[in-house]
Amino acid sequence: MRMSTLFVRTLRDDPADAELPGHKLLVRAGYIRRVAPGIYTWLPLGMRVLAKVEAIIREEMDAIGAQEVKFPALLPREPYEATNRWTEYGPNLFKLQDRKENDMLLGPTHEEMFCLAVKDMYSSYKDLPLSLYQIQNKYRDEARPRAGILRGREFIMKDSYSFDIDSAGLQKSYDLHRQAYTKIFNRLGFEYVIVHADSGAMGGSASEEFLAVSPHGEDTFVRDESGYAANVEAVEVPQAPKQQVTVGDSHVEPTPDTPTIATLVDALNAGHPRSDNRPWTAADTLKNVLVMLRQPDGTREPLAIGVPGDRDVDAKRLEAKVSPAEVEPFEEKDFAAYPQLAKGYIGPGALGEDNGIRYLLDPSIAEGSAWVTGADQPGHHVIDLVYGRDFTADGTIQAAEIKEGDPSPSGQGTLSLARGIEMGHIFQLGTKYAEALGLKVLDESGKLTTVTMGSYGVGVTRAVGVIAEDNLDDAGLIWPRTVAPADVHIVATGKDDAVYLKAEEIVRELESLHLEVLYDDRPKVSPGVKFKDAELIGVPTIVVVGKGLADGVVEIKDRRSGERREVPVSSVVGEVLGEINASKA
Ligand code: ATP
Ligand code: MG
């Protein structure tokens, strides 16, 4: 690769639409370019990084005996109709029609296709276990494409699928994938955690996510000191045990101008002191949050969620629980349709299936506990309303926000919260897809048995984005050696022909050792610009061949540490090899 001919144009200014530093640098350094929201072109430098990430994934998948295949991205509707995902996938699915008006889609994930291929070709337990994978484009019309390649609408995924005759086999396949993923992410160069995950719309049971730990993450996860870690979506708050009722009859009180929890608590403390003399807090109030659920078929239904007033409803936990329905805000017109609702003063009396609004409570709300909540008339609240005595609900929902310091569901210690980016997801799907598509084989006793499946994904393009976000400084990217677009970046400076001849010689020698070299051979570009470009592009080792050559020396610079040293030109190849080997050790 020579800078004089490489298809790259580095930019001094940040792209206008980029929020995250790594995304800005990937564009500025000429790795990717935006085509449309969430849709990116990969330039030669980017292709090299992508190829290295893919190679690592291939090696580890092959090592567990998975076999590579490639399905089309353009798919017919029927298989997705059979599993109901044509509808359930909702607006994220890219749908189109061919010239004969047949419905088609661009694959968001490929369970159906793998399942059908195995059904086509295999018929006996003797053919199993089997693991297949592909590295291929996926299409999802994400509501919020983000941070360039971190959340794209076209992106590359490694997806694999395991096929077993029974759940013991599935567990084995799952464990093998877990091992392979651990190796892949250890090699890719970012910090990650493995967390319990919600299986969500995919169905199935055991499921874990590999999250890159990052303040830019869209996922929140919890962990405790015992090693328990889970995506907040998957945290199960235990049902609070029944309590003895300790209060008298409930009573409605005027509480004018208290539409928020804070104003209500102030009004309670000012006008309605507690009998036990401690002050009221937000945790004594019951907040009823209304949303609209939109089912995949377009129907809308209201949902009310009761949570202690010191907590919000967590949008991602809620979405995971109601999926495939989507959560929409409860609007003015919805209030108009349910005139029993007094906005800001909604109580359990106006809710529940009898009132046409399903009402679900946070499991921390104990039977027998007393609450202050809306009295269903403007400016009024009800005090000492006891769950189980004065009101009921239609069930519980795990949708309240999880807070730092909450007791851990593991029973050991408290939870701390951090953010992460989902890099991989492993699922024990079970028989959901095999059943829907009729994937059965003969078992040992000659009986037709439904095959049990696992499904496993790695975000390949997302991985490049995460590595970039995790490896950078003010001057540019700093690739880990395992995925760098080149092993060494040779910068020749000045106008002296001897410099370029020598640099050329070093390049050839390094290449003969099968090292990948990016050579800045541009004769008319100033040293300052070349140095800036080298920092921006982020190859781990930079060799400057310039003025020093007159004294028989060149400079080797470590991009990450910034450390630079002069070495005799005669030993530069050995020194570069030494750097590469040292970083591998
Ligand atoms: P997310 O919650 O981030 O949307 P997901 O649960 O939809 O992810 P899966 O369907 O499990 O993701 O896909 C497998 C992997 O593909 C994810 O772990 C992630 O690394 C990657 N991935 C998913 N959606 C995208 C996207 N829009 N852009 C880039 N990579 C993605
Ligand atoms: Mg998604």
Side-chain angles (χ1 to χ4, degrees):
M1 276 185 294
R2 281 149 195 273
M3 285 298 280
S4 60
T5 52
L6 187 66
F7 188 54
V8 65
R9 205 46 95 231
T10 54
L11 309 173
R12 293 291 158 242
D13 295 318
D14 287 332
D17 62 313
E19 321 123 60
L20 298 187
H23 176 202
K24 290 177 188 166
L25 290 171
L26 284 170
V27 176
R28 280 185 47 206
Y31 286 80
I32 56 169
R33 273 188 98 82
R34 179 180 175 278
V35 171
I39 305 180
Y40 282 79
T41 302
W42 289 78
L43 298 174
L45 285 173
M47 288 297 287
R48 290 191 160 241
V49 176
L50 197 55
K52 299 224 165 138
V53 171
E54 290 184 359
I56 289 173
I57 295 173
R58 277 199 178 90
E59 270 177 45
E60 300 300 345
M61 294 312 297
D62 293 345
I64 60 165
Q67 301 172 56
E68 186 168 3
V69 295
K70 190 161 187 177
F71 283 86
L74 179 62
L75 301 169
R77 169 178 175 159
E78 290 70 25
Y80 286 77
E81 190 67 63
T83 58
N84 203 30
R85 285 213 289 188
W86 177 262
T87 312
E88 270 188 7
Y89 220 92
N92 268 19
L93 195 63
F94 271 108
K95 296 177 175 175
L96 62 160
Q97 284 194 330
D98 68 11
R99 64 170 76 206
K100 293 179 181 152
E101 296 184 356
N102 295 310
D103 284 325
M104 317 276 294
L105 67 139
L106 297 176
T109 166
H110 278 73
E111 280 75 8
E112 285 82 351
M113 304 317 294
F114 279 77
C115 192
L116 286 175
V118 175
K119 181 183 172 183
D120 239 9
M121 292 168 59
Y122 275 6
S123 56
S124 160
Y125 75 96
K126 290 182 199 148
D127 297 323
L128 305 179
L130 171 71
S131 281
L132 299 174
Y133 76 96
Q134 64 176 349
I135 295 179
Q136 190 239 26
N137 281 353
K138 296 280 186 272
Y139 298 85
R140 297 180 183 182
D141 196 1
E142 299 275 358
R144 288 172 294 276
R146 184 174 165 265
I149 51 177
L150 284 189
R151 183 175 296 286
R153 295 194 297 160
E154 176 185 271
F155 60 97
I156 301 175
M157 194 199 289
K158 185 289 297 175
D159 48 329
S160 40
Y161 305 86
S162 65
F163 301 85
D164 283 278
I165 191 73
D166 56 23
S167 51
L170 170 57
Q171 185 64 47
K172 226 184 238 169
S173 300
Y174 182 88
D175 292 342
L176 281 173
H177 272 88
R178 196 177 193 275
Q179 264 172 41
Y181 275 37
T182 303
K183 290 190 179 152
I184 290 167
F185 295 123
N186 285 345
R187 291 173 67 181
L188 284 183
F190 50 79
E191 190 196 347
Y192 70 92
V193 287
I194 305 177
V195 303
H196 295 287
D198 185 86
S199 319
M202 301 285 288
S205 48
S207 149
E208 288 167 291
E209 285 167 354
F210 291 70
L211 300 183
V213 180
S214 163
H216 308 306
E218 290 181 270
D219 282 279
T220 305
F221 68 94
V222 299
R223 45 186 161 183
D224 69 12
E225 300 81 37
S226 77
Y228 165 87
N231 193 310
V232 281
E233 292 172 14
V235 173
E236 295 277 324
V237 175
Q239 176 60 52
K242 190 170 172 174
Q243 298 177 2
Q244 205 69 314
V245 179
T246 57
V247 297
D249 288 350
S250 67
H251 45 107
V252 173
E253 300 292 344
T255 51
D257 300 324
T258 55
T260 65
I261 297 293
T263 50
L264 171 62
V265 169
D266 288 346
L268 289 170
N269 282 323
H272 307 277
R274 289 174 60 93
S275 51
D276 61 6
N277 283 329
R278 80 160 166 82
W280 293 103
T281 70
D284 299 313
T285 69
L286 172 63
K287 178 160 73 180
N288 296 304
V289 178
L290 280 158
V291 295
M292 269 289 171
L293 300 186
R294 176 195 282 278
Q295 299 298 342
D297 66 7
T299 55
R300 293 168 91 239
E301 62 177 80
L303 173 68
I305 301 153
V307 294
D310 61 341
R311 282 177 201 255
D312 286 322
V313 169
D314 179 316
K316 293 201 83 181
R317 270 166 64 75
L318 175 59
E319 279 162 16
K321 295 303 159 334
V322 301
S323 167
E326 294 203 29
V327 179
E328 294 182 348
F330 200 84
E331 292 170 346
E332 283 308 326
K333 67 172 191 313
D334 300 317
F335 277 102
Y338 295 92
Q340 81 265 28
L341 298 173
K343 199 174 175 183
Y345 302 89
I346 298 167
L351 306 172
E353 269 158 9
D354 312 345
N355 291 301
I357 304 176
R358 198 150 60 98
Y359 182 40
L360 302 175
L361 289 180
D362 184 63
S364 71
I365 294 170
E367 218 178 296
S369 58
W371 299 90
V372 179
T373 190
D376 300 314
Q377 36 174 320
H380 289 75
H381 281 89
V382 53
I383 300 178
D384 291 343
L385 195 74
V386 172
Y387 175 44
R389 181 189 75 181
D390 305 324
F391 74 100
T392 56
D394 302 312
T396 58
I397 186 166
Q398 296 276 350
E401 132 195 53
I402 304 291
K403 289 188 183 176
E404 185 84 28
D406 279 354
S408 173
S410 74
Q412 296 178 55
T414 56
L415 294 178
S416 60
L417 268 66
R419 299 184 77 86
I421 301 172
E422 185 189 319
M423 299 310 309
H425 198 168
I426 53 178
F427 273 111
Q428 296 192 15
L429 276 182
T431 54
K432 177 176 166 177
Y433 289 86
E435 228 145 60
L437 295 163
L439 170 58
K440 291 178 201 254
V441 295
L442 294 174
D443 70 9
E444 245 171 306
S445 60
K447 211 169 73 227
L448 268 180
T449 307
T450 303
V451 169
T452 182
M453 288 173 64
S455 135
Y456 317 88
V458 173
V460 180
T461 41
R462 181 177 284 184
V464 175
V466 166
I467 298 167
E469 296 301 338
D470 241 23
N471 295 276
L472 51 76
D473 62 16
D474 287 342
L477 296 160
I478 311 174
W479 293 105
R481 237 175 234 297
T482 46
V483 300
D487 296 303
V488 47
H489 188 150
I490 311 273
V491 179
T493 62
K495 297 203 168 62
D496 188 350
D497 282 346
V499 165
Y500 291 88
L501 285 172
K502 193 70 207 175
E504 192 82 37
E505 208 178 285
I506 298 170
V507 170
R508 256 182 275 132
E509 205 172 330
L510 289 168
E511 283 177 345
S512 72
L513 297 167
H514 301 293
L515 295 184
E516 291 172 324
V517 184
L518 173 59
Y519 172 31
D520 198 341
D521 59 339
R522 295 173 293 179
K524 292 203 177 101
V525 173
S526 78
V529 168
K530 289 182 177 176
F531 295 146
K532 275 216 169 73
D533 279 347
E535 306 257 276
L536 184 59
I537 290 169
V539 172
T541 301
I542 300 167
V543 174
V544 182
V545 185
K547 278 205 232 71
L549 200 59
D551 307 318
V553 294
V554 297
E555 188 182 82
I556 299 185
K557 182 176 172 189
D558 183 86
R559 173 67 184 92
R560 192 173 291 272
S561 67
E563 191 191 306
R564 45 178 89 214
R565 58 202 172 91
E566 287 194 330
V567 300
V569 65
S570 54
S571 65
V572 63
V573 171
E575 293 286 342
V576 167
L577 279 177
E579 300 247 326
I580 292 173
N581 291 332
S583 63
K584 273 187 192 148

